[in-house]
Amino acid sequence: MGVTCQILIDRPEDGAFKAGRLVTGTLKYFIDKPTKYERISMCFLGKGDCEWTETDAKNTLYYQNKEKYINQIVNVYVRRKSEDFISGGFEYPIQFLLPIDIPPSFYDKICTIEYKIIVTFAKANSFSKKNFDVRIPVTSYVNPCTLEPITFGLKKNLSFRINNKINVKGEISKTCIKPGDTIHMTLTVNNGTDLAVVIKTELIKRLTYISKGNHKKYHEEAVKNTCTISTVAANAVANLVCLASTYQDLFSIQHAKVMKGEYMIRLKAKLPFPHANALLDIPVVIGQRKHELIAPPAVYYEYNREQPSTSAMLDQNNKYRNEEDLTKYEKEDLNEDSAKYIKEVNGKGIVQEEI
């Protein structure tokens, strides 16, 4: 039978551990007969991996990337004497501190971001090792991508005549929201043309996978039940209120080099043929802000050279002492990627023109 092991994790109420917080639990293991072990260790490992292939007419190209977010190792037992044998049942407390700047857990066919506790039993005078592991679900904070509220505009000229154009002005009160909250958007549509125009808004999810050489692969899809459609008559003005409800399982993915997970409100002015439609993407962020995740004091293990039943732990000063420091840090770390979507006007607005 050898060794049996249980990694018992104290699950939080919402089912996932938050960045900057402690992961706690108990390691239980039983060795049925006296055995020489060189080392028994626990490793808290967080890593991201992505890989995919792309095929053209002649070649198949392979892309990949990987990174580590955390790699903490605790020695539960280290052999001191050549005659040391151990057997019986033992317990050891689990306590690891998650870093703040990490992405959340994520899994799909291309990319995996995961966190694990791995327990390794390495026998003495042998290459034989036995591993046990358990996945740790993690959620992380997000940085806002724009100032709030944000104003934006969309213009569409059907000809060079001054009065033959469509002008849409809008505002989103909050662009950084918690999962499950609703995005509120107000629009004023001035249709100065002789055609009816259809105004459509929808929440879009975009995943960007990034290889080691910075080659990117994109996947985009509309979030279900977030679409609003309104028709504005010719030569008319309409005031619209558009709502996009999010879900508890929606979250932006930041702080990773292997991928990004972004959301945007897509505003579209749809016109009859042969006129081209006008389109504007307004970035939004879904998740908890950094100042809402204040980390407790860090802890680490001190090996006391005895087979454990309990552990000794020491406090460290918390890197972030108060909410004010975190809020300041958050403001300095605004998402620079929003520049690809928007042009800022007067410090808080975006405008896009279509001719």
Side-chain angles (χ1 to χ4, degrees), residues 237-248:
V237 177
N239 295 310
L240 307 176
V241 176
C242 305
L243 305 178
S245 298
T246 64
Y247 299 90
Q248 290 293 338

Side-chain angles (χ1 to χ4, degrees), residues 65-90:
N65 199 0
K66 60 179 61 178
E67 61 179 334
K68 288 185 179 179
Y69 312 114
I70 182 172
N71 188 17
Q72 298 178 3
I73 299 176
V74 173
N75 285 322
V76 177
Y77 166 81
V78 177
R79 185 171 66 94
R80 286 189 298 169
K81 300 177 181 178
S82 59
E83 65 272 13
D84 277 348
F85 288 83
I86 58 174
S87 64
F90 303 93

Side-chain angles (χ1 to χ4, degrees), residues 136-151:
I136 307 298
V138 172
T139 60
S140 67
Y141 74 88
V142 294
N143 291 318
C145 58
T146 64
L147 299 177
E148 295 176 332
I150 185 171
T151 58

Side-chain angles (χ1 to χ4, degrees), residues 39-323:
R39 175 176 52 88
I40 301 172
S41 63
M42 276 194 301
C43 175
F44 188 25
L45 178 64
K47 62 178 183 176
D49 296 278
C50 71
E51 58 179 58
W52 72 91
T53 59
E54 296 180 8
T55 304
D56 57 21
K58 296 182 180 180
N59 302 306
T60 297
L61 301 177
Y62 178 73
Y63 299 96
Q64 67 172 347
N65 199 0
K66 60 179 61 178
E67 61 179 334
K68 288 185 179 179
Y69 312 114
I70 182 172
N71 188 17
Q72 298 178 3
I73 299 176
V74 173
N75 285 322
V76 177
Y77 166 81
V78 177
R79 185 171 66 94
R80 286 189 298 169
K81 300 177 181 178
S82 59
E83 65 272 13
D84 277 348
F85 288 83
I86 58 174
S87 64
F90 303 93
E91 292 188 5
Y92 198 83
I94 297 171
Q95 190 157 297
F96 291 103
L97 181 65
L98 282 165
I100 293 181
D101 296 313
I102 56 174
S105 302
F106 177 83
Y107 310 95
D108 71 4
K109 294 180 180 180
I110 296 177
C111 184
T112 298
I113 297 174
E114 65 178 355
Y115 300 86
K116 285 184 176 182
I117 291 180
I118 305 168
V119 179
T120 300
F121 294 82
K123 288 186 176 181
N125 304 319
S126 171
F127 293 106
S128 175
K129 293 182 180 180
K130 193 167 186 178
N131 293 325
F132 301 85
D133 65 74
V134 62
R135 277 183 174 177
I136 307 298
V138 172
T139 60
S140 67
Y141 74 88
V142 294
N143 291 318
C145 58
T146 64
L147 299 177
E148 295 176 332
I150 185 171
T151 58
F152 53 89
L154 177 63
K155 296 180 181 180
K156 175 69 176 181
N157 293 332
L158 299 191
S159 69
F160 292 102
R161 291 190 303 168
I162 296 177
N163 295 327
N164 199 22
K165 63 183 180 181
I166 301 163
N167 190 358
V168 182
K169 294 182 179 179
E171 179 179 294
I172 297 178
S173 56
K174 290 186 66 176
T175 58
C176 185
I177 65 170
K178 295 180 180 179
D181 287 355
T182 299
I183 301 170
H184 295 259
M185 178 168 53
T186 57
L187 300 175
T188 299
V189 184
N190 189 340
N191 183 8
T193 73
D194 296 329
L195 302 172
V197 59
V198 175
I199 301 297
K200 179 181 178 180
T201 65
E202 194 168 24
L203 182 62
I204 302 296
K205 174 183 178 180
R206 175 186 287 171
L207 300 178
T208 304
Y209 306 100
I210 307 169
S211 74
K212 188 178 296 184
N214 206 36
H215 180 79
K216 296 179 180 179
K217 179 181 177 67
Y218 300 96
H219 173 75
E220 192 174 285
E221 63 183 42
V223 178
K224 63 181 181 179
N225 300 325
T226 61
C227 178
T228 66
I229 298 177
S230 303
T231 301
V232 181
N235 299 300
V237 177
N239 295 310
L240 307 176
V241 176
C242 305
L243 305 178
S245 298
T246 64
Y247 299 90
Q248 290 293 338
D249 60 348
L250 298 185
F251 52 87
S252 300
I253 300 175
Q254 301 176 353
H255 316 295
K257 296 179 181 179
V258 296
M259 75 166 301
K260 292 187 295 183
E262 300 165 298
Y263 289 88
M264 63 201 78
I265 293 292
R266 178 158 293 169
L267 170 63
K268 182 183 290 187
K270 301 178 69 174
L271 294 162
F273 183 82
H275 302 286
N277 297 329
L279 183 71
L280 176 65
D281 287 339
I282 305 106
V284 295
V285 176
I286 303 175
Q288 285 189 305
R289 296 192 185 208
K290 179 179 294 185
H291 68 268
E292 297 168 339
L293 300 176
I294 300 175
V299 298
Y300 63 90
Y301 293 98
E302 180 182 343
Y303 176 60
N304 58 12
R305 305 188 69 83
E306 298 292 339
Q307 177 62 14
S309 58
T310 59
S311 66
M313 293 169 283
L314 299 176
D315 288 345
Q316 266 187 345
N317 289 331
N318 183 9
K319 180 180 178 181
Y320 302 106
R321 291 183 174 85
N322 54 47
E323 182 174 332

